[in-house]
Amino acid sequence: MLLMTFLILVECTDGYQWDAQTQHCKDINECETIPEACKGEMKCFNHYGGYLCLPRSASVIPAPDPPSQLPHSPSHGDSETFNSCPLGYELQGNNCVDVDECEQDTHDCQPSQECFNSPGGYTCQCPEGYRKVGTECIDIDECRYRYCQHRCVNVPGSFSCQCEPGFQVAGNNRSCVDVNECDMGAPCQQRCYNTYGTFHCRCDQGYELGPDGFACNDIDECSYSSYLCQYKCVNQPGKFSCACPEGYQQLGTRLCQDVNECETGSHQCAEGQTCVNLYGGYKCADTNRCQDPYVRVSDNRCMCPVSKPACRDLPFSVVHRYMSLTSDRAVPSDIFQIQATSIYPGAYNTFRVRSGDDGGDFYIRQINNIGAMLVLARTVTGPKEYVLDLEMVSVNPIISYQTSSVLRLSIFVGPYSF
C-alpha cells in the first residue's frame, strides 16, 4: 500500500505568528519584542496585529487577550451551504435577513470600541469622551479646552468641574456661582454680610469682633474715658449708662442735677423748721434762730434792743441766710452779694468778715458805700459747712455815731463738683 503524507502550509497575517501548541495564529506583542518600539516620551500600547505609540498621559480602555487568528489553509472540499443573499445578509426561508454582527459577536471592533449594527454591515465607534487613534479609543482630556470656570478634573471618558471655596457649580455644571454663606448658617454671632466668594461678620453697636472673626465681645465704654458721665459710668451689654448719686437726678443722658427736696416736698422737716436745699440733700433749720439777748422781729431777722445792757457791744441786728456751693469751684469766685437795707445820711459803711473764716478761704470786696461782694478765695472740697458773720459797720462822724449789723451766712459745700 502506498502511503502519502500531505504537508499543510500555514500562513498568518502581519502582526500574528503561528502557535504550534494551540494550532492558531497568535498576536505578536511588539512592545516586548521590538527594542525601544516608541521613542522619547511616547509609550507603547500593543493591539491586535500591531502597536501604537501614545503620550504617557493617554488613557486606553484595557482589552482582553486578543482572539487567536484562524490560519488560512487550503480547502479540503468541505461542503458549505450556498448563500444567495448579499454580503451582510443571510437566507431565512425565502428571504434575505440582515445579520446583526454586533449581537452575534462576529464583528472586528476593538474592545475599546462600541459596535453599531447597520443594514448589511456594522460600524465601530468610540464611546463618548474618547477619540479614535488608529484602531484604539483614547480618552479626550476635556480640561485642555478650559470648559470649567475654576478647576477641571479629567476622568476616563468625561470630566467634572470644581469651584474654589465660597463658590458652587452652577446649573450648567461648568460655571461657578457665589455661595451665600449667610443663608447657609455662617457662624457669625450677630451680623453676616455676604461678599463675592466669602463672607464677613460684623457686630452691633457697642460690640467688637473677637479674634476668631465670628464672636462679638462687649465693649466696655467706661474703661475708655472718665469723661463719659458726670458722676458714674455703668457698663451694660452693648452700651453704657450714666448714674447719679443720691440726691441728684439725671439731666439728659450724662449729666446730674440736684433734686430740690424743698420744692418737691420730699423733705422731712417738722413744723417750726425751714427746709434749706443743699447740693445732694437738704437741711432743716429752725425758723427762730434768735438767741438772747436778740429777739425775733421777722423771718430770719433778729434785733438786739438798745435798752438791754448786753446789746451795747453787739451788732444791732443779725439776718440769717443760707447758700450751697459745689466742690472744687474755680477761684477766685464771687459767691454772695451784700447790700445795705438802711441808709443814713452822712454815714460811711465798711464791710468785713467778722467770724467763721479761720482758714482764710473767703474775703470781702467792697463795691461801693452800700454794697460788697463775698469772694471765694481758695478751692474748697465738700462736704463742708461754714457759718460766716459778714458785718457792715456804719460810722457817722458828724454826730459821732457808730453801729453795725451782721448777715450770718451758712454756706454748705456739696460733695461733688456738680
Side-chain angles (χ1 to χ4, degrees):
M1 179 182 291
L2 179 63
L3 297 175
M4 296 183 67
T5 302
F6 293 93
L7 178 64
I8 300 176
L9 297 177
V10 179
E11 181 183 359
C12 297
T13 58
D14 292 342
Y16 291 84
Q17 64 183 3
W18 177 251
D19 186 351
Q21 183 178 358
T22 61
Q23 296 293 305
H24 290 289
C25 290
K26 183 179 180 180
D27 177 60
I28 299 171
N29 189 341
E30 292 84 357
C31 295
E32 295 179 354
T33 60
I34 301 176
E36 297 184 2
C38 297
K39 304 292 184 180
E41 296 297 323
M42 305 299 283
K43 183 179 180 181
C44 180
F45 289 88
N46 185 60
H47 73 101
Y48 301 151
Y51 67 97
L52 295 174
C53 292
L54 300 176
R56 293 185 181 275
S57 61
S59 175
V60 178
I61 296 177
D65 292 336
S68 300
Q69 189 185 65
L70 294 175
H72 297 284
S73 60
S75 173
H76 296 284
D78 295 336
S79 62
E80 293 182 2
T81 303
F82 176 73
N83 185 5
S84 61
C85 295
L87 183 66
Y89 290 85
E90 63 182 2
L91 187 63
Q92 293 185 3
N94 295 325
N95 298 319
C96 290
V97 180
D98 175 57
V99 176
D100 190 344
E101 296 85 355
C102 299
E103 183 177 347
Q104 296 180 7
D105 199 21
T106 58
H107 60 85
D108 62 354
C109 295
Q110 299 292 334
S112 62
Q113 297 175 338
E114 294 179 347
C115 177
F116 292 90
N117 187 61
S118 61
Y122 63 92
T123 58
C124 299
Q125 298 180 11
C126 291
E128 185 178 359
Y130 291 82
R131 60 188 176 90
K132 190 174 182 180
V133 178
T135 60
E136 295 293 338
C137 293
I138 307 301
D139 174 56
I140 298 174
D141 186 2
E142 295 87 352
C143 296
R144 297 175 56 188
Y145 303 101
R146 299 184 179 179
Y147 289 145
C148 300
Q149 183 178 357
H150 285 182
R151 293 198 304 265
C152 179
V153 179
N154 187 58
V155 296
S158 183
F159 71 98
S160 63
C161 294
Q162 296 180 355
C163 298
E164 301 292 342
F167 296 87
Q168 63 184 4
V169 180
N172 60 11
N173 292 325
R174 296 186 178 183
S175 302
C176 292
V177 295
D178 175 58
V179 174
N180 190 339
E181 295 87 351
C182 298
D183 292 341
M184 299 176 64
C188 296
Q189 184 176 355
Q190 291 184 354
R191 298 183 182 181
C192 179
Y193 294 92
N194 184 59
T195 58
Y196 190 70
T198 185
F199 67 97
H200 297 288
C201 296
R202 294 292 181 266
C203 299
D204 296 333
Q205 184 176 0
Y207 294 86
E208 60 184 357
L209 200 62
D212 61 357
F214 305 128
C216 291
N217 301 324
D218 175 56
I219 297 174
D220 186 359
E221 297 87 352
C222 299
S223 65
Y224 285 99
S225 173
S226 59
Y227 297 99
L228 293 176
C229 298
Q230 191 174 38
Y231 174 63
K232 183 180 180 180
C233 180
V234 180
N235 186 59
Q236 297 175 339
K239 60 181 180 179
F240 72 96
S241 62
C242 294
C244 293
E246 186 179 0
Y248 290 82
Q249 62 186 1
Q250 201 159 344
L251 179 63
T253 58
R254 302 187 179 188
L255 301 180
C256 294
Q257 184 181 47
D258 172 58
V259 175
N260 192 330
E261 295 85 356
C262 299
E263 292 183 354
T264 61
S266 57
H267 60 83
Q268 301 278 329
C269 295
E271 187 178 354
Q273 291 182 320
T274 300
C275 178
V276 180
N277 186 60
L278 312 176
Y279 283 107
Y282 65 95
K283 185 178 181 64
C284 295
D286 292 334
T287 303
N288 183 8
R289 299 190 62 185
C290 300
Q291 298 177 354
D292 188 66
Y294 288 89
V295 295
R296 182 185 180 190
V297 293
S298 63
D299 289 344
N300 297 325
R301 183 178 178 86
C302 304
M303 187 180 68
C304 197
V306 294
S307 59
K308 292 185 177 182
C311 294
R312 186 170 300 173
D313 297 325
L314 296 176
F316 176 70
S317 65
V318 175
V319 176
H320 294 273
R321 291 286 184 267
Y322 308 93
M323 71 171 298
S324 183
L325 292 178
T326 58
S327 286
D328 304 319
R329 187 165 179 167
V331 292
S333 177
D334 295 348
I335 61 172
F336 192 85
Q337 185 172 358
I338 309 167
Q339 188 78 26
T341 57
S342 300
I343 303 173
Y344 300 98
Y348 296 95
N349 301 315
T350 58
F351 300 85
R352 66 170 183 164
V353 180
R354 179 184 175 96
S355 63
D357 185 24
D358 298 334
D361 297 330
F362 306 89
Y363 66 86
I364 291 288
R365 186 183 74 248
Q366 186 157 342
I367 301 173
N368 49 41
N369 190 45
I370 60 172
M373 181 67 68
L374 178 64
V375 180
L376 178 65
R378 296 179 181 177
T379 301
V380 292
T381 301
K384 195 172 185 179
E385 181 179 351
Y386 294 89
V387 179
L388 302 181
D389 278 357
L390 307 180
E391 184 179 30
M392 181 184 74
V393 179
S394 299
V395 177
N396 191 329
I398 299 176
I399 60 175
S400 298
Y401 175 76
Q402 178 175 325
T403 187
S404 68
S405 59
V406 167
L407 189 148
R408 185 159 293 161
L409 180 63
S410 297
I411 302 176
F412 303 95
V413 182
Y416 308 107
S417 60
F418 49 86

